[in-house]
Amino acid sequence: YFIILDEMTSLDHFVKQFPKEKDYIDNFKLKLKKSNFINIVNSLAAYNITYLNITALMNANYFIDEKSEKYISRNSFFPNSIFYKKKNSLQVLDYLIKNNHYMEVIGNSKMNFELISSNKNLKLDVGSIIIPNIFYKFFEPTFVDELFRRLVQDVLSKKNESIFIKNNGMGVLKNKIKRRNDKGLVFVHHFSPHAPYLFDRNCNKRENFDEVTNPNKYNSTLYKNSYICVTKQILELINKINEYDSSGIVVFQGDHSNTQDRTKIERFFIFNTIKIPDSCKKNLNSNLSNVNTLRVALYCSSNEKPILLDNNSYIGFH
């Protein structure tokens, strides 16, 4: 279970910003420890932007660096990179298929698609990804590409689900989790504590949310409350996973911090915690990047010795 928590900074960085929450966070750390989670305290993200990090995770490596060809569109990256294998080799999918494992993805309003597990192979939700990506193939180098991406996001998304459901990936997983006899990766992109700040610190729908003129604008107070809510959701989901799959490998990980200047080192500070079998713990250390944490979990799921990379971080640009 690999859960990405969008814009979730490290626990220590959060306390530095909001010192009055120190006691609460200390208590949260204790609860994680009692649940056999190890906090990767000095973890840095591979990239400073969400779609670069998620593509890196799907590649299980640093797929783009300062020597790479300049990119002109975010549509070259995940999930569209499924159709651009020459650009980005999706090593996680290849690894899972090689080991007869499935993959299931729970997205959000900004990443509206699903990868659906199958006994034979991985399938794509045709309505939300195949047609858009055929379009992207032809129009990626032009401005039409970005217009169409927004059309897909705003018009072709699942209208029968509210944003409170679509952006609550942990809640979706909690409601659909079941006992499994097969093995695989459940990948969740939980769109919080990032704006729009949908829930208060008690995880109730935020009052007057519909009256906000710019719901995507950063707000430190709302971020703080959203962050606290996410910690509560984490503990609830841990209990649910333990109920159905107590031996499962579980990772909760931020993709970048709430530092708004994307060029600062603080932008790479992430929350990163993992529950893993004792036999694999020797491969953990306090400096593992998000990519290497995934590699440890992935190799451990197949009882293989992990091949780890250098812990690198790169500044990408919109």
Side-chain angles (χ1 to χ4, degrees), residues 57-108:
L57 292 170
M58 289 297 101
N59 284 278
N61 65 25
Y62 307 97
F63 74 104
I64 190 170
D65 59 25
E66 72 278 8
K67 298 178 182 178
S68 300
E69 180 182 353
K70 184 178 179 180
Y71 57 85
I72 59 173
S73 168
R74 72 175 62 187
N75 290 320
S76 296
F77 308 121
F78 190 79
N80 303 349
S81 52
I82 293 170
F83 300 91
Y84 289 91
K85 279 219 164 191
K86 291 182 180 178
K87 292 186 179 182
N88 307 317
S89 173
L90 297 181
Q91 294 186 21
V92 168
L93 295 178
D94 295 339
Y95 186 84
L96 292 170
I97 292 171
K98 182 187 77 172
N99 289 281
N100 296 314
H101 292 178
Y102 67 86
M103 180 174 181
E104 185 171 355
V105 175
I106 297 173
N108 52 60

Side-chain angles (χ1 to χ4, degrees), residues 17 44 78 86 112 162 183 191 215 284:
Q17 296 174 80
L44 297 180
F78 190 79
K86 291 182 180 178
N112 185 48
S162 75
K183 290 186 177 181
F191 206 62
L284 299 176

Side-chain angles (χ1 to χ4, degrees), residues 223-285:
Y223 174 84
K224 176 189 69 174
N225 292 335
S226 182
Y227 190 104
I228 295 296
C229 170
V230 169
T231 63
K232 295 177 180 180
Q233 290 178 303
I234 288 171
L235 296 175
E236 290 180 358
L237 184 56
I238 288 172
N239 291 334
K240 192 70 173 183
I241 292 174
N242 285 338
E243 181 182 345
Y244 288 93
D245 192 2
S246 59
S247 62
I249 296 171
V250 186
V251 179
F252 293 96
Q253 190 178 95
D255 58 345
H256 55 77
S257 82
N258 62 318
T259 299
Q260 297 303 291
D261 184 344
R262 295 188 178 93
T263 64
K264 287 189 174 181
I265 186 63
E266 289 83 357
R267 176 73 175 184
F268 296 89
F269 294 175
I270 56 171
F271 173 68
N272 192 4
T273 189
I274 182 171
K275 188 189 80 167
I276 203 165
D278 291 341
S279 60
C280 299
K281 289 181 179 178
K282 61 181 179 291
N283 300 305
L284 299 176
N285 64 70

Side-chain angles (χ1 to χ4, degrees), residues 1-6 8 37 54 57 106 168-171 173-174 177 185-192 230 233-234 237-238 241 249-255 271-273 294:
Y1 303 88
F2 199 90
I3 297 96
I4 292 294
L5 309 163
D6 208 298
M8 188 153 185
F37 278 81
I54 293 182
L57 292 170
I106 297 173
N168 187 7
M170 284 196 287
L173 175 57
K174 181 183 172 185
I177 194 170
L185 170 64
V186 180
F187 187 92
V188 179
H189 186 181
H190 183 83
F191 206 62
S192 191
V230 169
Q233 290 178 303
I234 288 171
L237 184 56
I238 288 172
I241 292 174
I249 296 171
V250 186
V251 179
F252 293 96
Q253 190 178 95
D255 58 345
F271 173 68
N272 192 4
T273 189
L294 172 63

